[in-house]
Amino acid sequence: MPGGLETTLLEAAQLSAVLGGRLPNSAEWEWMASRGGYRRFPWGDAEPAPGTANLRSFGPGRATAVTTHPAGRTPEGLWDVGGNVWEWTTAPWRRDRIALLRGGSYHSLVQYASCAHANDVPGHLASPPHPPQRA
């Protein structure tokens, strides 16, 4: 799991357990991001812009440090909930063992950063290594 970017669902769950926690389920993540449905994006209702999220249209094309986009924090102070890297969530109500990725990544379109968007994926998948940074 170099740099934390090539993480499967199982690896993310194991890391959460080592740190004394667990992955949120998808409904918990959405509540956290939207504050119970009151926000379109984690930072509010405004469309993303440079400074709010690391998305395809507004970033360097790679993951960045969590503190890079201060305008994108939730009103409660959580960083990088929308954009930068996908966030694993569980879906215990599903029998097909499909997990849900939330929040979008540096390669995502704007709609993937919305609080309501969820991507169904098999839990064994991991993000490919990100491209090397250009000097």
mmCIF file of all heavy atoms in Angstrom, residues 35-59:
data_model
loop_
_atom_site.group_PDB
_atom_site.id
_atom_site.type_symbol
_atom_site.label_atom_id
_atom_site.label_comp_id
_atom_site.label_asym_id
_atom_site.label_seq_id
_atom_site.Cartn_x
_atom_site.Cartn_y
_atom_site.Cartn_z
ATOM 1 N N ARG A 35 -23.893 16.263 6.042
ATOM 2 C CA ARG A 35 -24.495 16.648 7.328
ATOM 3 C C ARG A 35 -25.987 16.320 7.318
ATOM 4 O O ARG A 35 -26.847 17.135 7.593
ATOM 5 C CB ARG A 35 -24.250 18.113 7.629
ATOM 6 C CG ARG A 35 -24.601 18.517 9.045
ATOM 7 C CD ARG A 35 -23.779 17.740 10.041
ATOM 8 N NE ARG A 35 -23.967 18.287 11.376
ATOM 9 C CZ ARG A 35 -23.503 17.719 12.441
ATOM 10 N NH1 ARG A 35 -22.816 16.599 12.350
ATOM 11 N NH2 ARG A 35 -23.686 18.239 13.605
ATOM 12 N N GLY A 36 -26.262 15.089 6.935
ATOM 13 C CA GLY A 36 -27.640 14.629 6.939
ATOM 14 C C GLY A 36 -28.468 15.078 5.755
ATOM 15 O O GLY A 36 -29.685 15.122 5.818
ATOM 16 N N GLY A 37 -27.819 15.399 4.647
ATOM 17 C CA GLY A 37 -28.540 15.775 3.436
ATOM 18 C C GLY A 37 -28.677 17.268 3.218
ATOM 19 O O GLY A 37 -29.371 17.703 2.307
ATOM 20 N N TYR A 38 -27.993 18.058 4.021
ATOM 21 C CA TYR A 38 -28.118 19.509 3.915
ATOM 22 C C TYR A 38 -27.114 20.158 2.967
ATOM 23 O O TYR A 38 -27.170 21.359 2.762
ATOM 24 C CB TYR A 38 -28.008 20.161 5.296
ATOM 25 C CG TYR A 38 -29.172 19.808 6.170
ATOM 26 C CD1 TYR A 38 -29.034 18.870 7.180
ATOM 27 C CD2 TYR A 38 -30.420 20.391 5.958
ATOM 28 C CE1 TYR A 38 -30.115 18.535 7.977
ATOM 29 C CE2 TYR A 38 -31.501 20.054 6.751
ATOM 30 C CZ TYR A 38 -31.341 19.125 7.761
ATOM 31 O OH TYR A 38 -32.406 18.795 8.534
ATOM 32 N N ARG A 39 -26.166 19.380 2.434
ATOM 33 C CA ARG A 39 -25.168 19.949 1.523
ATOM 34 C C ARG A 39 -25.066 19.105 0.264
ATOM 35 O O ARG A 39 -25.120 17.882 0.309
ATOM 36 C CB ARG A 39 -23.776 19.948 2.187
ATOM 37 C CG ARG A 39 -23.656 20.813 3.383
ATOM 38 C CD ARG A 39 -22.203 20.930 3.822
ATOM 39 N NE ARG A 39 -21.641 19.733 4.394
ATOM 40 C CZ ARG A 39 -21.510 19.513 5.707
ATOM 41 N NH1 ARG A 39 -21.908 20.414 6.581
ATOM 42 N NH2 ARG A 39 -20.953 18.415 6.142
ATOM 43 N N ARG A 40 -24.844 19.758 -0.862
ATOM 44 C CA ARG A 40 -24.625 19.059 -2.134
ATOM 45 C C ARG A 40 -23.215 18.483 -2.198
ATOM 46 O O ARG A 40 -22.994 17.370 -2.672
ATOM 47 C CB ARG A 40 -24.863 20.015 -3.292
ATOM 48 C CG ARG A 40 -24.721 19.346 -4.628
ATOM 49 C CD ARG A 40 -25.161 20.254 -5.744
ATOM 50 N NE ARG A 40 -24.824 19.625 -7.006
ATOM 51 C CZ ARG A 40 -24.440 20.287 -8.082
ATOM 52 N NH1 ARG A 40 -24.385 21.597 -8.059
ATOM 53 N NH2 ARG A 40 -24.138 19.647 -9.173
ATOM 54 N N PHE A 41 -22.239 19.262 -1.768
ATOM 55 C CA PHE A 41 -20.834 18.841 -1.718
ATOM 56 C C PHE A 41 -20.375 18.926 -0.269
ATOM 57 O O PHE A 41 -20.996 19.630 0.532
ATOM 58 C CB PHE A 41 -19.975 19.750 -2.605
ATOM 59 C CG PHE A 41 -20.282 19.645 -4.068
ATOM 60 C CD1 PHE A 41 -21.075 20.596 -4.693
ATOM 61 C CD2 PHE A 41 -19.788 18.587 -4.824
ATOM 62 C CE1 PHE A 41 -21.376 20.496 -6.041
ATOM 63 C CE2 PHE A 41 -20.080 18.479 -6.176
ATOM 64 C CZ PHE A 41 -20.880 19.429 -6.784
ATOM 65 N N PRO A 42 -19.304 18.257 0.090
ATOM 66 C CA PRO A 42 -18.858 18.298 1.490
ATOM 67 C C PRO A 42 -18.631 19.717 2.029
ATOM 68 O O PRO A 42 -18.843 19.968 3.206
ATOM 69 C CB PRO A 42 -17.563 17.482 1.473
ATOM 70 C CG PRO A 42 -17.749 16.519 0.336
ATOM 71 C CD PRO A 42 -18.511 17.314 -0.702
ATOM 72 N N TRP A 43 -18.205 20.645 1.201
ATOM 73 C CA TRP A 43 -17.927 22.016 1.649
ATOM 74 C C TRP A 43 -19.162 22.912 1.600
ATOM 75 O O TRP A 43 -19.139 24.025 2.088
ATOM 76 C CB TRP A 43 -16.812 22.640 0.807
ATOM 77 C CG TRP A 43 -17.090 22.541 -0.659
ATOM 78 C CD1 TRP A 43 -17.833 23.404 -1.422
ATOM 79 C CD2 TRP A 43 -16.672 21.499 -1.533
ATOM 80 N NE1 TRP A 43 -17.891 22.961 -2.724
ATOM 81 C CE2 TRP A 43 -17.188 21.782 -2.816
ATOM 82 C CE3 TRP A 43 -15.890 20.348 -1.361
ATOM 83 C CZ2 TRP A 43 -16.953 20.968 -3.912
ATOM 84 C CZ3 TRP A 43 -15.668 19.531 -2.456
ATOM 85 C CH2 TRP A 43 -16.200 19.842 -3.713
ATOM 86 N N GLY A 44 -20.238 22.479 0.950
ATOM 87 C CA GLY A 44 -21.457 23.280 0.826
ATOM 88 C C GLY A 44 -22.139 23.020 -0.503
ATOM 89 O O GLY A 44 -21.940 21.980 -1.115
ATOM 90 N N ASP A 45 -22.907 23.973 -0.979
ATOM 91 C CA ASP A 45 -23.657 23.786 -2.221
ATOM 92 C C ASP A 45 -22.969 24.346 -3.453
ATOM 93 O O ASP A 45 -23.392 24.069 -4.576
ATOM 94 C CB ASP A 45 -25.050 24.420 -2.093
ATOM 95 C CG ASP A 45 -25.922 23.632 -1.126
ATOM 96 O OD1 ASP A 45 -25.751 22.401 -1.026
ATOM 97 O OD2 ASP A 45 -26.760 24.256 -0.455
ATOM 98 N N ALA A 46 -21.910 25.126 -3.268
ATOM 99 C CA ALA A 46 -21.207 25.728 -4.411
ATOM 100 C C ALA A 46 -20.469 24.665 -5.221
ATOM 101 O O ALA A 46 -19.913 23.713 -4.668
ATOM 102 C CB ALA A 46 -20.205 26.774 -3.914
ATOM 103 N N GLU A 47 -20.481 24.838 -6.539
ATOM 104 C CA GLU A 47 -19.720 23.946 -7.431
ATOM 105 C C GLU A 47 -18.232 23.995 -7.055
ATOM 106 O O GLU A 47 -17.752 25.027 -6.593
ATOM 107 C CB GLU A 47 -19.879 24.397 -8.884
ATOM 108 C CG GLU A 47 -21.243 24.146 -9.471
ATOM 109 C CD GLU A 47 -21.469 22.685 -9.839
ATOM 110 O OE1 GLU A 47 -20.528 22.010 -10.286
ATOM 111 O OE2 GLU A 47 -22.614 22.231 -9.675
ATOM 112 N N PRO A 48 -17.518 22.906 -7.264
ATOM 113 C CA PRO A 48 -16.079 22.918 -6.981
ATOM 114 C C PRO A 48 -15.353 23.967 -7.816
ATOM 115 O O PRO A 48 -15.766 24.284 -8.927
ATOM 116 C CB PRO A 48 -15.614 21.519 -7.388
ATOM 117 C CG PRO A 48 -16.838 20.694 -7.433
ATOM 118 C CD PRO A 48 -17.971 21.616 -7.756
ATOM 119 N N ALA A 49 -14.302 24.481 -7.254
ATOM 120 C CA ALA A 49 -13.445 25.462 -7.911
ATOM 121 C C ALA A 49 -12.026 25.207 -7.426
ATOM 122 O O ALA A 49 -11.834 24.476 -6.448
ATOM 123 C CB ALA A 49 -13.894 26.873 -7.540
ATOM 124 N N PRO A 50 -11.025 25.779 -8.085
ATOM 125 C CA PRO A 50 -9.662 25.615 -7.571
ATOM 126 C C PRO A 50 -9.621 26.030 -6.094
ATOM 127 O O PRO A 50 -10.203 27.031 -5.703
ATOM 128 C CB PRO A 50 -8.838 26.570 -8.444
ATOM 129 C CG PRO A 50 -9.605 26.633 -9.729
ATOM 130 C CD PRO A 50 -11.056 26.587 -9.311
ATOM 131 N N GLY A 51 -9.009 25.207 -5.291
ATOM 132 C CA GLY A 51 -8.934 25.476 -3.856
ATOM 133 C C GLY A 51 -9.927 24.692 -3.031
ATOM 134 O O GLY A 51 -9.771 24.579 -1.824
ATOM 135 N N THR A 52 -10.989 24.143 -3.689
ATOM 136 C CA THR A 52 -11.950 23.360 -2.911
ATOM 137 C C THR A 52 -11.717 21.866 -3.006
ATOM 138 O O THR A 52 -11.980 21.151 -2.051
ATOM 139 C CB THR A 52 -13.413 23.643 -3.327
ATOM 140 O OG1 THR A 52 -13.567 23.399 -4.719
ATOM 141 C CG2 THR A 52 -13.842 25.041 -2.986
ATOM 142 N N ALA A 53 -11.264 21.380 -4.146
ATOM 143 C CA ALA A 53 -11.115 19.931 -4.296
ATOM 144 C C ALA A 53 -10.099 19.604 -5.391
ATOM 145 O O ALA A 53 -9.972 20.335 -6.367
ATOM 146 C CB ALA A 53 -12.453 19.291 -4.639
ATOM 147 N N ASN A 54 -9.409 18.504 -5.209
ATOM 148 C CA ASN A 54 -8.484 17.992 -6.212
ATOM 149 C C ASN A 54 -9.269 17.049 -7.126
ATOM 150 O O ASN A 54 -9.431 15.873 -6.831
ATOM 151 C CB ASN A 54 -7.322 17.264 -5.538
ATOM 152 C CG ASN A 54 -6.287 16.767 -6.515
ATOM 153 O OD1 ASN A 54 -6.334 17.077 -7.698
ATOM 154 N ND2 ASN A 54 -5.335 15.991 -6.021
ATOM 155 N N LEU A 55 -9.795 17.609 -8.209
ATOM 156 C CA LEU A 55 -10.562 16.858 -9.200
ATOM 157 C C LEU A 55 -9.907 17.024 -10.563
ATOM 158 O O LEU A 55 -9.004 17.841 -10.724
ATOM 159 C CB LEU A 55 -12.007 17.376 -9.239
ATOM 160 C CG LEU A 55 -12.803 17.179 -7.954
ATOM 161 C CD1 LEU A 55 -14.056 18.039 -7.966
ATOM 162 C CD2 LEU A 55 -13.148 15.704 -7.771
ATOM 163 N N ARG A 56 -10.376 16.283 -11.526
ATOM 164 C CA ARG A 56 -9.794 16.310 -12.868
ATOM 165 C C ARG A 56 -9.629 17.730 -13.410
ATOM 166 O O ARG A 56 -8.620 18.072 -13.992
ATOM 167 C CB ARG A 56 -10.649 15.487 -13.820
ATOM 168 C CG ARG A 56 -10.062 15.416 -15.219
ATOM 169 C CD ARG A 56 -10.940 14.674 -16.187
ATOM 170 N NE ARG A 56 -11.113 13.294 -15.756
ATOM 171 C CZ ARG A 56 -11.817 12.407 -16.444
ATOM 172 N NH1 ARG A 56 -12.407 12.749 -17.565
ATOM 173 N NH2 ARG A 56 -11.939 11.178 -16.005
ATOM 174 N N SER A 57 -10.605 18.571 -13.214
ATOM 175 C CA SER A 57 -10.571 19.924 -13.767
ATOM 176 C C SER A 57 -9.765 20.920 -12.955
ATOM 177 O O SER A 57 -9.485 22.013 -13.419
ATOM 178 C CB SER A 57 -12.003 20.463 -13.879
ATOM 179 O OG SER A 57 -12.782 19.601 -14.654
ATOM 180 N N PHE A 58 -9.426 20.575 -11.710
ATOM 181 C CA PHE A 58 -8.843 21.568 -10.808
ATOM 182 C C PHE A 58 -7.570 21.126 -10.120
ATOM 183 O O PHE A 58 -7.192 21.720 -9.112
ATOM 184 C CB PHE A 58 -9.844 21.932 -9.706
ATOM 185 C CG PHE A 58 -11.181 22.325 -10.224
ATOM 186 C CD1 PHE A 58 -12.279 21.514 -10.013
ATOM 187 C CD2 PHE A 58 -11.358 23.497 -10.928
ATOM 188 C CE1 PHE A 58 -13.527 21.867 -10.490
ATOM 189 C CE2 PHE A 58 -12.600 23.863 -11.414
ATOM 190 C CZ PHE A 58 -13.684 23.051 -11.188
ATOM 191 N N GLY A 59 -6.923 20.106 -10.564
ATOM 192 C CA GLY A 59 -5.763 19.617 -9.829
ATOM 193 C C GLY A 59 -4.596 19.272 -10.718
ATOM 194 O O GLY A 59 -4.667 19.389 -11.939
#
